Structure formats: structure tokens, C-alpha cells
Amino acid sequence: MSSTTPQSTTFDLTVEDSVGLTQILTQIDSSNVTLSTTPGAGEARIADFLVDWLNHRDIETHKIETVPGRPSVVGVIRGSGGGKSLMLNGHIDTVSLNSYECDPLSGHIAEKNGRPAIFGRGALDMKSGLAAEMAALAHIKANKIPLRGDVILAAVSDEEDASQGTQDLIAAGWHADGCVIPEPTNRVLINSHKGFVWFEIDVLGTAAHGSDPASGVDSILQTGWFLTALEEYQRELPVDDMIGPASLHCSLINGGEEPSSYPAKCTVTVEFRTVPAQTDESLRADLSNMLKEIARVKPTFRFAEPRLTLSRPSHKLPVEHPLVQQTAEIAREVYANDVSIESMAIWCDAALLSAAGTPTIVIGPAGQGLHAKEEWVDIGSIRQTEQIFVRLISNFCQ
């Protein structure tokens, strides 16, 4: 087949089982364009395949592309009316292929820990989850299962970096009465996770020749007072009953020009991992008050007001919420085992969707190797995820 043939046509559009779809999706390079030092292939080719796959089944299809080359795809099965709508949200981008040890696009099946698994970059994070969603959608369509509410497949771009896809999805008006994201949770049902917020703080000095201490003020040395105060503040961060303790760390520090000069500015980047009790405004106020207090007792201490550079909210859906309870009951039946309802340490698009009015949970396949040199997903867990989605759609969208 010539190299000019569209990527989407090189794969069998009739495939509907979650395992086969995981292999196909893993074989398509959709490494994130902006995440790594080496730009990836982007989401255009995998989006083309998804559009063709949905069109092949006569499923209503939309493409959202506010940033050229960063498309997201929406597929919809419309209900008859009067029922609850369910969104199945999954990201189509992966981290870089460069860190993968051997053949990142193979999608091959081999044994891992005595069980069959699919290998390749993104097989676990999260093309297997997306494949389970697609297979569930195909099952509902092929079997003409009657629904009153809509089922929405949202295959979104750029989750690994800036969540452009889900932000575009929300801005375009897509929402639902509930949403499931199949991030690889190892069969645990996630109802909450921390947010994260980045602040930059400039501590100001006075530039001067290194031989002229009477004129110079060392901003880097002055920053030590701020770091000591920050360490004290860290001990007072709130603890959430479900998510656990908030945290902070200094991610970056930058100051000075050359060894023989007093540095005029030192910039510290602080990342907060947040719980629902914290807001951007409360964190900014805490930092500002901390800096003012240092200046009150240290006359040479000067600073610029903290700059917020990125903010992502925390997420917490009550355990008692019907979506949590309904999914947990279905998962118990599928797994033939009790299901743990927990918070997770990492951030995902669930927070954006819930903040926009779509209650969201996270549950997905098992495996290992997120962003690592070898990545694999347990095949049995992919099929179980597909079964959960089929049953949840059938029950929720009534």
C-alpha cells in the first residue's frame, strides 16, 4: 500500500471487539505534539480512523478542531427521549515514543505475569480504555438496544499536556448527566483526585558588582527566607476526608546572571497539589500574606506579587452519587469481586468535566508501564471494562 494512502484506511473498520481495537489504536502513532522536547505525531491520524470507524456504523459523528492538527472526535447514539445521557470520555494522545524501549507501535499480544497482554505505547494509557468504549458503543448499535438517553463517545486530544480536547469539548457545548473516563485504574473506581496549581514568585534584589556589597542585594540569598516560610506553611495545609492531604513543592528556581554579580531577581515556581478546600484565590492570598510578613520583619526583602501560571481544579464526586453507586454495583458483578472506591494521586480530565456540570467517575483496565520503557495492558481487564460500559449504558440511559 502506498505511503500516500490515508492512515485510517490501512486498518479494518469492521473490528468491534475491544481487544482488536486496542491493537489497532496502539499501532497508530498519536504521540502528543507539545508535551515532549521531541514533537510527536499528533492526533490527526487517529482521529481520521475514529471518524471512519464511526461513519462505518452510521453513528452520528462530529470533529472538533479549534487548534489545527489537534482534533477531537465525538460520536453520538441518540436515545428516544426522556432518559439520562452518558458520556464516555477517553484521550487519544500518548506520551513520547522516544522513551519506549522496543517497537512502541507494535500492539502485539504476549504473556505478562502469566496472562495475555497487549504491548505498546499507549496500550494502557489509554487506548485500551478508549477501545472498550468504542466496543460498547458498537454493541449498543449492533444489538439495537433501546435507550431513552443519548450515549456520547468523546475521543479527546491533548490530555497528556494541556487538556485542549476536553476544554474544546466543553466549549462546544457537549455535556451529559454522567461521564466515565477509562483511565487505567487497575479495576478501582475513582470518584476523586487532587488538582494542581502553579505559581511563580519573584524575590527582588539589587544588581551590583560582586566586589560592592554596599550596593548589591542578593535576591537568591533573600529567597531563603521565603523557602523557610513556605516550609512552615506546608505543615498547615488542609486534609480532605477522601482525597487526603494537600501538598506543595518547589519545582523550579532560577536566578542570577554570572558569578561576579549580585543577582537582581530570583524566581521560584511552586506547585500545589490541591484539595477542594483550596482555591486559586486562597492560595494566592496565602502566598501574598507570607511574603508581606517576611518583608515586615526583614527590611531588605522585596518581592513581586505571585503569578498564577496554570490551574487545574480538584475533583470529588460523593460516594453516594447515583453514578458512583450504579457503576460500583455493575463492576462488582463483572469482576465477581468487591470494588474499591478511592481517590487517585494523578490528575485527569474528570475535574474539568465535573466543574462544567457533568458528574464524572474514572474506572479502567489493569496493567503497568505508564510513560515507561515498556507498557502493557491485561487483556482480560479490557474485556471487563467493555462489559461494564455495555451494562452501564443500558441501565443509565433509561
Side-chain angles (χ1 to χ4, degrees), residues 6-17 20-21 24-25 28 45-59 134-135 138:
Q7 171 84 10
S8 60
T9 62
T10 65
F11 296 104
D12 186 356
L13 297 175
T14 67
V15 175
E16 295 191 339
D17 74 284
L21 285 169
I24 289 174
L25 296 176
I28 303 174
R45 298 169 79 185
I46 195 169
D48 286 345
F49 170 75
L50 289 167
V51 167
D52 289 348
W53 187 89
L54 290 165
N55 286 336
H56 184 75
R57 284 155 187 81
D58 197 26
I59 294 174
M134 295 166 65

Side-chain angles (χ1 to χ4, degrees), residues 125-185:
D125 182 20
M126 60 176 295
K127 290 179 176 179
S128 53
L130 179 61
E133 293 177 328
M134 295 166 65
L137 208 68
H139 179 90
I140 296 296
K141 181 73 174 181
N143 290 278
K144 300 180 181 179
I145 295 176
L147 304 173
R148 292 195 299 145
D150 298 342
V151 186
I152 304 165
L153 174 70
V156 296
S157 64
D158 195 39
E159 190 273 347
E160 295 287 1
D161 188 12
S163 295
Q164 184 69 48
T166 289
Q167 292 189 88
D168 288 346
L169 181 81
I170 293 167
W174 292 99
H175 59 86
D177 295 304
C179 177
V180 185
I181 300 178
E183 291 281 5
T185 64

Side-chain angles (χ1 to χ4, degrees), residues 203-206 217 222 225 291-303:
V203 176
L204 306 175
T206 302
V217 178
Q222 303 270 317
W225 294 330
L291 293 162
K292 289 173 183 174
E293 177 60 20
I294 298 169
R296 187 183 69 81
V297 298
K298 304 285 187 182
T300 59
F301 186 82
R302 295 185 299 118
F303 62 92

Side-chain angles (χ1 to χ4, degrees), residues 85-165:
S85 56
L86 182 68
M87 179 184 292
L88 307 175
N89 179 294
H91 67 83
I92 57 178
D93 63 320
T94 74
V95 297
S96 174
L97 306 187
N98 292 342
S99 56
Y100 204 90
E101 192 169 61
C102 180
D103 200 0
L105 301 177
S106 72
H108 74 279
I109 295 176
E111 274 203 3
K112 192 72 176 182
N113 301 333
R115 294 175 57 85
I118 298 174
F119 290 76
R121 174 60 75 226
L124 180 64
D125 182 20
M126 60 176 295
K127 290 179 176 179
S128 53
L130 179 61
E133 293 177 328
M134 295 166 65
L137 208 68
H139 179 90
I140 296 296
K141 181 73 174 181
N143 290 278
K144 300 180 181 179
I145 295 176
L147 304 173
R148 292 195 299 145
D150 298 342
V151 186
I152 304 165
L153 174 70
V156 296
S157 64
D158 195 39
E159 190 273 347
E160 295 287 1
D161 188 12
S163 295
Q164 184 69 48

Side-chain angles (χ1 to χ4, degrees), residues 201-212:
I201 298 93
D202 292 337
V203 176
L204 306 175
T206 302
H209 195 281
S211 65
D212 186 12

